[in-house]
């Protein structure tokens, strides 16, 4: 350690304070100002004398230099002021330090001298001192016979130029011959000297002016020496300095060209003359790339990148021929993020050269890239992620289709999973690069290695869409913080738009991939999938996923973004992808088109075209939008929902029309309406454009996208049609269909077309072969045709037929709902009902439809008419319908003669409607001449039928039966006479009655019921009015009695009708002129007591009573009343012939059991009409063993206490009959109770008779017309 000496002598022990560092022999001569007042206490003059002194030890000199360096660093201004006071001292100090540097052989001392010199020069900033030092250096190098001792000088120059870059120009201009010494040092066999020379060269070439002046020196002398030095360098210092010089040279295009040209010449010489003595730059860098030193590897990669940055096209081939890419891919296995990032950057530039791919370097290195990305994504280095994904995207994009990149499906799967992870990155920039790489990855040649892994592709697309959806749903910061905040918001929206566009481009490539695979049989599904497995990994499943994903994710994202900003490039990709989706899943394109149309995509596309595509701007967007509209319109027109599909010829014409017209439509809605309204002469091109506009409006309105005002569109379409008429033009059917539909749906409630336009429409329609060519199903369309008499008279029948053929609502449900329910009508039906109310004559057209239309249409019309008549009872249309039906029926009977086999299949429907109209008629109404004619025609029709014609006979019998029971007695007599005059009808009835007990060939229970009821009615009317009989009916009495005495499982209504028939026969005493009851074959001679009962026998009577009792136990209201009525008639018949037998039958013990069985049906069960009538019968025949006097009194007491106002009129009548019968028999035990009950009954019956009957007497039960009073009374 250096010794500190005091000026007065050696330091004493224990002396305090900082000792001054002096050179004692010379210090006494020095001015005190050279002694630093602050530590370290150094005398600068002493330092000047001590450092060149040969007798002073090197250790002491180093200590002084070190102290001076510390003082210079700590007290820079103080030292520089002292040194700069005297320029001679300053120069002397510099020269002394340089001399020490040149004379010392100790490396640390030299480094200390260089550091002090650099600090002193840079702090003094005196030009003279700088030149002095440069001159000293130059002189030293010039006087040096060998470069052996030049290391210190060269190192000083290098660091000096590094500290003061401006010195580079001075060195080159004023010390030009110094470059020759540098060349000598470069070939000197000392890598230390070579490293110093390269360092100095690097600093010189770092200055552009100096570099330009040294360009000739480099070209002529330095270039080969430098490349050789770099190639042969062994020490890391030389290698690093050489690479540093190279990095500086490679900043200039001139030197890059020189070096690469030199390398090219060397490579040529190698191929022609054998191995050269010099090496090319690619080979030198390749050698460094193969070293194990990571720093050299990074530097080598940086140098390659620096060359390629200037021009990959010029220089990439040299590195590719040197197989540099192969070793770059190998370096991707490194754990150094710096090296990996550098390799990524270098490979990105190499990928711009096609040779990079044609020599299959990417095929060799793609696995390394994928593995590297897998590892890189696990570290937190955004720039590394971005650069790696950028490289991957470049390779995927530029890889030639004929060279398969992924040689195995496993590698392709790994690549997809890497991208899936990358697109899910929370860093937007990373995700954006990943989406671009994904877009390039979705290419057929990248995926076609069987099997195609559709499940992996789906997961990748889902991840991409999910990341985009997350971004679009992230709220934007909209705080109003001024212009800066607004700019930030705009930037955020722009970033979102770019990311969304990239995502859509990726999705579009996935769609293109699906389309291309449709022509590849091996790509349809995974051939290694088990036959029983679910077909998820198939092209069809992938295609359906794409359609669903675009519908549920992409479309909403684009719509949300378009609310903030609309970018033409984004919308171009969006609509182009929509267009491709029509091809991906062909069986879904119609449904998808309808959904798009219903989501206002026609409006959206037209507004986009109007905004961006006017004139010649954004022609690509215009073409994409027009193409989308073209295919969507064709899909909608080819499979319409509300009109018939066009023929192939029509579709071809529309296709050509749309293809030429849509690109020309770039106007907004009002402008299009104005163009449509132009009634001046329109050229053919403009007219076709009008056609296209009308078709677009038509399709939009059909799908509820009404983006122009209806009133304005209504006027525009009128003007368009009038213009066609003015110029004698006839539009294509599809255009006229659009015009008519738009007029119909836009017509105001109070507005109407003028006669001229209506006439023009009729003329256009008459030129069309069939109305279905221009018909579109809509309630407004129906109203339009039926509103104007000119159109209704000519086209009403056909338009109604078309309307019913297209109507899909199930009207059967309406038919089953009673009118009191009044369910809500469908819109179309409600509109039709309004039209029918305003114009009942249309009902005649509907009647024609029932007769002439196909059965399915006729059934719809029938049910609609039924529903209308039930809901509109205030409209009296019976006469209108009956009159028109009479004409139809007369025409039918004349046309088909004696048989109905050729008659229309809709005739039963017409008859059903006729029955309904008859049912609506008021009871006790006189039958007019039309009704009588209709009755006659229906009876004739029935006479022409066979028992198997159930469909015609059932409604006909219903009509005949109702006609007999819904009229006055006088009219009933006339009606019965008309029916009795029909011999064919009587024969038919006889056949049907016989079929009742036939084991086979029965026409059906309903028709049999109607036949028995009609026979009963005719028999009763003939008997009461003594009408002429032209044909009798034979009925086997035994069969009738057997059916009732031994009832089998059969319809209740059939039993009730047969009972009603037998009751009528009993009431007539079996003396009817119409119905002849004959025995069934040979019968044994009657016993004497049976003679009086003929044609009945005692055993038959008892069997019949038991059968009726069994039927009564079933407790069916209609059947019970019929049975009680038959019992009443039977006992009357027996009492008239043999009172004893009548009393015997009435007093049978089973009657009491029957009565109590009926009473055991709940509280006040005796207050039922059939029970009351049965008890009345027992009281009448004094059957006290069945109903005692006490029980009669108890019944009357309970009746007096009951709430009689809640009873029906039928029950009140039955109760009154019971009361009167009891009174007449003198069985009233309690006069007060009797008086009270009588008063209540008379008051309630009087009130009931004055009010409207609450229950309808005429009903249709299971398709059978029934009069309740006929069955009951």
């Amino acid at each position: 350690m250096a010794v500190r000496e005091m000026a007065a002598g050696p330091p004493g022990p224990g002396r305090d304070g900082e000792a001054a560092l002096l050179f004692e022999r010379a210090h006494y001569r020095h001015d005190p100002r050279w002694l630093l007042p602050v530590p370290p206490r150094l005398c600068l003059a002493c330092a000047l004398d001590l450092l060149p002194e040969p007798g002073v030890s090197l250790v002491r000199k180093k200590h002084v230099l070190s102290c001076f360096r510390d003082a210079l660093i700590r007290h820079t201004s103080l030292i520089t002021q002292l040194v700069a006071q005297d320029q001679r001292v300053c120069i002397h100090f510099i020269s002394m330090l340089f001399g020490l540097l040149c004379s010392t052989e100790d490396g640390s001392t030299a480094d200390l001298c260089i550091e002090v010199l650099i600090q002193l020069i840079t702090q003094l900033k005196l030009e003279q001192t700088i030149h002095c030092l440069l001159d000293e250096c130059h002189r030293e190098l010039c006087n040096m016979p060998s470069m052996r001792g030049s290391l210190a000088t060269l190192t000083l120059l290098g660091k000096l130029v590094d500290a003061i870059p401006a010195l580079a120009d001075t060195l080159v201009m004023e010390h030009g011959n110094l470059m020759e010494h540098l060349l000598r040092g470069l070939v000197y066999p000392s890598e230390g000297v070579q490293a110093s020379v390269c360092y100095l060269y690097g600093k010189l070439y770092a200055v552009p002016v100096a570099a330009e002046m040294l360009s000739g020196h480099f070209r002529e002398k330095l270039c080969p020496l430098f490349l050789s030095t770099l190639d042969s360098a062994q020490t890391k210092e030389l290698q690093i300095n050489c690479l540093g010089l190279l990095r500086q040279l490679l900043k200039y295009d001139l030197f890059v060209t020189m070096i690469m040209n030199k390398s090219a010449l060397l490579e040529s010489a190698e191929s022609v003359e054998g191995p050269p003595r010099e090496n090319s730059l690619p080979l030198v860098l390749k050698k460094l790339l193969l070293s194990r030193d990571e720093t050299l590897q990074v530097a080598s990669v940086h140098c390659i990148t620096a060359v390629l940055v200037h021009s990959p096209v010029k220089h990439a081939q040299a590195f590719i021929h040197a197989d540099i890419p192969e070793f770059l891919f190998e370096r991707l296995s490194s754990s150094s993020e710096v090296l990996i990032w550098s390799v990524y950057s270098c490979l990105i530039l190499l990928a711009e050269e096609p040779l990079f791919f044609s020599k299959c370097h990417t095929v060799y290195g793609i696995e390394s890239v994928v593995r590297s990305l897998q590892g890189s994504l696990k570290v937190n280095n955004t720039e590394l992620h971005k650069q790696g994904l950028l490289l991957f995207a470049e390779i995927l994009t530029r890889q030639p289709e004929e060279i398969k990149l992924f040689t195995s499906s496993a590698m392709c799967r790994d690549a997809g999973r890497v991208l899936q992870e990358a697109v899910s990155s929370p860093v937007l920039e990373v995700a954006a690069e990943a989406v671009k790489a994904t877009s390039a990855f979705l290419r057929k040649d990248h995926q076609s290695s069987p099997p195609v892994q559709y499940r992996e592709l789906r997961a990748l697309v889902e991840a991409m869409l999910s990341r985009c959806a997350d971004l679009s749903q992230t709220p934007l910061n909209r705080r109003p913080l001024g212009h800066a905040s607004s700019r930030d918001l705009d930037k955020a929206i722009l970033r979102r738009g770019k990311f969304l566009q990239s995502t859509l481009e990726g999705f579009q490539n996935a769609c293109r991939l699906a389309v291309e695979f449709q022509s590849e049989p091996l790509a349809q599904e995974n051939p290694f999938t088990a036959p029983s497995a679910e077909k998820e990994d198939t092209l069809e499943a992938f295609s359906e996923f794409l359609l669903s994903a675009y519908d549920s994710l992409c479309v909403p994202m684009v719509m949300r973004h378009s609310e903030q900003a609309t970018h033409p490039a984004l919308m171009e990709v969006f609509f182009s992808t929509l267009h491709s989706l029509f091809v991906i899943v062909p069986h879904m394109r119609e449904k998808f088109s309808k959904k798009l149309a219903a989501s206002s995509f026609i409006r959206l596309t037209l507004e986009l075209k109007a905004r961006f595509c006017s004139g010649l701007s954004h022609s690509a967007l215009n073409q994409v939008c027009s193409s989308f509209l073209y295919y969507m319109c064709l899909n909608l027109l080819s499979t319409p929902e509300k009109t018939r599909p066009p023929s192939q010829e029509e579709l071809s014409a529309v296709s050509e029309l749309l293809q030429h017209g849509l690109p020309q439509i770039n106007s907004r809605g009002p402008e299009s309406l104005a163009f449509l309204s132009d009634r001046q002469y329109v050229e053919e091109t403009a007219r076709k454009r009008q056609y296209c506009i009308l078709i677009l409006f038509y399709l939009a309105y059909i799908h509820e996208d009404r983006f122009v005002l209806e009133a304005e569109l209504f006027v525009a379409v009128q003007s368009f049609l009038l213009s066609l008429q003015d110029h004698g033009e006839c539009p294509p059917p599809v255009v006229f269909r659009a015009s008519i539909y738009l007029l119909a749906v836009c017509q105001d409630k109070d507005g109407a077309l003028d006669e001229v336009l209506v006439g023009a429409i009729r003329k256009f329609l008459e030129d069309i072969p069939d109305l279905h060519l221009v018909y579109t199903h809509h309630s407004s369309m129906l109203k339009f045709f039926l509103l104007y008499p000119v159109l209704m008279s000519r086209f009403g029948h056909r338009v109604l037929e078309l309307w019913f053929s297209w109507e899909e609502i199930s009207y059967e449900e309406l038919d089953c709902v009673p009118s009191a329910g009044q369910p809500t009508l469908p819109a179309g039906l409600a509109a039709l009902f309004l039209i029918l109310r305003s114009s009942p004559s249309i009902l005649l057209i509907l009647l024609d439809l029932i007769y002439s239309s196909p059965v399915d249409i006729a059934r719809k019309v029938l049910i609609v008419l039924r529903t209308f008549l039930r809901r509109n009872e205030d409209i009296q249309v019976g006469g209108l319908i009956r009159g028109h039906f009479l004409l139809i029926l007369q025409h039918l009977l004349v046309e088909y003669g004696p048989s109905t086999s050729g008659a229309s299949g809709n005739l039963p429907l017409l008859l059903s409607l006729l029955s309904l109209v008859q049912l609506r008629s008021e009871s006790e109404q006189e039958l007019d001449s039309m009704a009588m004619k209709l009755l006659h025609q229906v009876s004739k029709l029935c006479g022409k039928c066979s028992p198997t014609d159930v469909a015609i006979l059932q409604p006909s019998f219903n009509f005949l039966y109702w006609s007999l029971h819904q009229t006055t007695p006088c009219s009933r007599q006339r009606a019965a006479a008309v029916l009795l005059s029909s011999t064919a009808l009587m024969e038919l009835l006889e056949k049907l009655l016989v079929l009742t007990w036939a084991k086979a060939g029965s026409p059906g229970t309903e028709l049999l019921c109607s036949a028995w009821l009609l026979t009963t009615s005719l028999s009763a009317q003939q008997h009461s009015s003594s009408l002429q009989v032209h044909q009798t009916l034979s009925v086997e009495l035994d069969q009738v009695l057997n059916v009732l005495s031994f009832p089998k499982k059969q319809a209740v209504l059939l039993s009730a009708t047969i009972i009603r028939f037998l009751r009528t026969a009993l009431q007539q005493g079996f003396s009817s002129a119409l119905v002849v009851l004959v025995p069934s074959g040979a019968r044994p001679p009657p016993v004497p007591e049976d003679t009086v009962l003929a044609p009945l026998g005692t055993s038959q009577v008892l069997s019949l009573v038991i059968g009726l009792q069994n039927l009564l136990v079933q407790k069916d209201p209609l059947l019970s009343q019929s049975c009680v009525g038959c019992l009443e008639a039977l006992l009357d018949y027996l009492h008239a012939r043999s009172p004893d037998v009548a009393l015997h039958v009435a007093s049978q013990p089973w009657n009491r059991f029957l009565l109590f069985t009926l009473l055991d049906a709940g509280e006040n069960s005796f207050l039922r009409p059939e029970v009351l009538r049965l008890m009345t019968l027992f009281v009448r025949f004094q059957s006290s063993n069945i109903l005692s006097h006490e029980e009669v009194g108890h019944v009357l007491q309970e009746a007096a206490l009951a709430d009689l106002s809640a009873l029906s009129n039928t029950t009140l009548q039955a109760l009154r009959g019971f009361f009167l019968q009891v009174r007449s028999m003198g069985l009233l035990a309690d006069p007060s109770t009797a008086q009270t009950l009588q008063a209540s009954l008379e008051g309630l019956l009087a009130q009931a008779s004055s009010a409207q009957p609450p229950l309808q007497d005429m009903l249709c039960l299971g398709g059978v017309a029934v009069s309740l009073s006929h069955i009951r009374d």
Side-chain angles (χ1 to χ4, degrees), residues 1081-1128:
R1083 298 176 61 181
V1087 296
E1089 57 267 24
D1090 286 348
T1091 304
V1092 70
L1093 301 179
L1096 297 176
T1098 304
S1099 61
Q1100 289 179 320
V1101 169
L1102 294 177
S1103 298
L1104 176 61
V1105 171
I1106 294 173
L1108 293 174
Q1109 289 174 342
N1110 290 334
L1111 292 173
L1112 272 169
V1113 173
Q1114 295 184 20
K1115 297 180 182 180
D1116 181 82
L1118 185 65
L1119 182 59
S1120 297
Q1121 295 213 48
S1122 180
C1123 289
V1124 171
C1126 189
L1127 278 173
E1128 290 173 346

Side-chain angles (χ1 to χ4, degrees), residues 25 117 196 254 300 489 510 598 741 743 781 840 892 906 975 1074 1081 1141:
R25 291 184 303 177
L117 278 171
S196 298
L254 174 64
S300 174
L489 179 62
Y741 178 81
L743 283 178
M781 196 77 164
L892 174 70
N906 298 338
L1074 175 63
V1141 175

Side-chain angles (χ1 to χ4, degrees), residues 520-559:
E520 296 282 343
L522 294 178
Q524 298 298 316
E525 63 181 43
N526 190 338
F528 304 110
T529 304
S532 60
E534 294 185 11
K535 302 295 185 180
E536 294 181 357
D537 207 8
T538 62
L539 176 60
E540 182 181 3
F542 180 63
S543 301
E544 291 178 356
F545 155 72
L546 291 176
L547 180 63
S548 174
Y550 206 78
D551 179 33
S552 59
L553 289 174
C554 296
V555 171
M557 282 192 293
V558 173
M559 293 300 99

Side-chain angles (χ1 to χ4, degrees), residues 98 101-102 117 131-144 152-154 156-157 160 171 175 178 181:
F98 180 73
L101 173 64
C102 294
L117 278 171
H131 284 287
C132 174
L133 181 58
L134 292 179
D135 292 340
E136 291 287 346
C137 292
H138 192 183
R139 190 179 306 110
E140 177 67 19
L141 289 175
C142 291
N143 296 332
M144 196 177 294
T153 304
L154 292 172
L156 173 63
L157 284 173
L160 188 62
L171 275 176
H175 305 277
L178 186 65
H181 298 289

Side-chain angles (χ1 to χ4, degrees), residues 915 919 950 953-959 961-962 1004-1014 1051-1054 1056-1057 1118 1257-1268 1270-1271:
S915 300
L919 179 62
V950 180
L953 290 177
Q954 185 63 63
S956 300
F957 280 4
N958 288 344
F959 172 73
Y961 178 78
W962 275 330
T1005 303
E1006 293 80 7
L1007 185 58
L1008 295 177
C1009 291
S1010 296
W1012 283 104
L1013 286 173
L1014 188 58
V1052 170
L1053 185 58
L1054 180 59
T1057 56
L1118 185 65
D1257 180 59
M1258 302 301 296
L1259 296 177
C1260 188
L1261 302 178
V1264 179
V1266 176
S1267 170
L1268 295 180
H1270 182 220
I1271 297 289

Side-chain angles (χ1 to χ4, degrees), residues 932-1127:
M932 296 302 294
K933 291 178 182 179
L934 197 55
L935 193 70
H936 175 66
Q937 296 296 339
V938 172
S939 66
K940 285 179 62 177
L941 176 65
C942 292
K944 294 176 181 293
C945 296
S946 68
T948 57
D949 295 327
V950 180
I952 295 177
L953 290 177
Q954 185 63 63
S956 300
F957 280 4
N958 288 344
F959 172 73
L960 298 178
Y961 178 78
W962 275 330
S963 298
L964 286 172
H965 287 274
Q966 276 189 303
T967 185
T968 61
C970 181
S971 292
R972 187 178 301 119
Q973 181 179 350
R974 293 168 55 210
V978 170
L979 297 181
L980 289 171
S981 66
S982 175
T983 303
L985 176 61
M986 296 301 105
E987 292 174 350
L988 175 66
L989 287 174
E990 184 176 24
K991 293 177 184 178
L992 288 170
L993 298 183
V994 172
L995 290 174
T996 303
W997 30 82
K999 294 182 179 180
S1002 178
T1005 303
E1006 293 80 7
L1007 185 58
L1008 295 177
C1009 291
S1010 296
W1012 283 104
L1013 286 173
L1014 188 58
T1015 302
T1016 302
S1017 302
L1018 290 173
S1019 177
Q1021 189 62 40
Q1022 186 277 331
H1023 188 78
S1024 63
S1025 303
S1026 301
L1027 299 176
Q1028 183 179 3
V1029 175
H1030 300 273
Q1031 176 71 37
T1032 59
L1033 302 178
S1034 297
V1035 178
E1036 296 182 12
L1037 179 59
D1038 294 343
Q1039 293 288 359
V1040 174
L1041 294 176
N1042 287 336
V1043 168
L1044 300 179
S1045 301
F1046 308 101
K1048 299 179 181 179
K1049 187 176 181 181
Q1050 58 187 5
V1052 170
L1053 185 58
L1054 180 59
S1055 298
T1057 56
I1058 297 176
I1059 292 171
R1060 185 63 184 89
F1061 169 80
L1062 181 59
R1063 176 186 173 187
T1064 301
L1066 289 167
Q1067 288 172 340
Q1068 296 172 357
F1070 299 104
S1071 60
S1072 171
L1074 175 63
V1075 179
V1076 178
L1077 293 169
V1078 298
S1080 302
R1083 298 176 61 181
V1087 296
E1089 57 267 24
D1090 286 348
T1091 304
V1092 70
L1093 301 179
L1096 297 176
T1098 304
S1099 61
Q1100 289 179 320
V1101 169
L1102 294 177
S1103 298
L1104 176 61
V1105 171
I1106 294 173
L1108 293 174
Q1109 289 174 342
N1110 290 334
L1111 292 173
L1112 272 169
V1113 173
Q1114 295 184 20
K1115 297 180 182 180
D1116 181 82
L1118 185 65
L1119 182 59
S1120 297
Q1121 295 213 48
S1122 180
C1123 289
V1124 171
C1126 189
L1127 278 173

Side-chain angles (χ1 to χ4, degrees), residues 449-468:
S449 297
V452 180
Q453 301 177 32
Y454 291 110
R455 188 180 287 106
E456 297 291 336
L457 291 177
R458 173 173 178 167
L460 177 58
V461 175
E462 282 178 337
M464 179 175 65
L465 294 179
S466 176
R467 183 64 181 89
C468 189

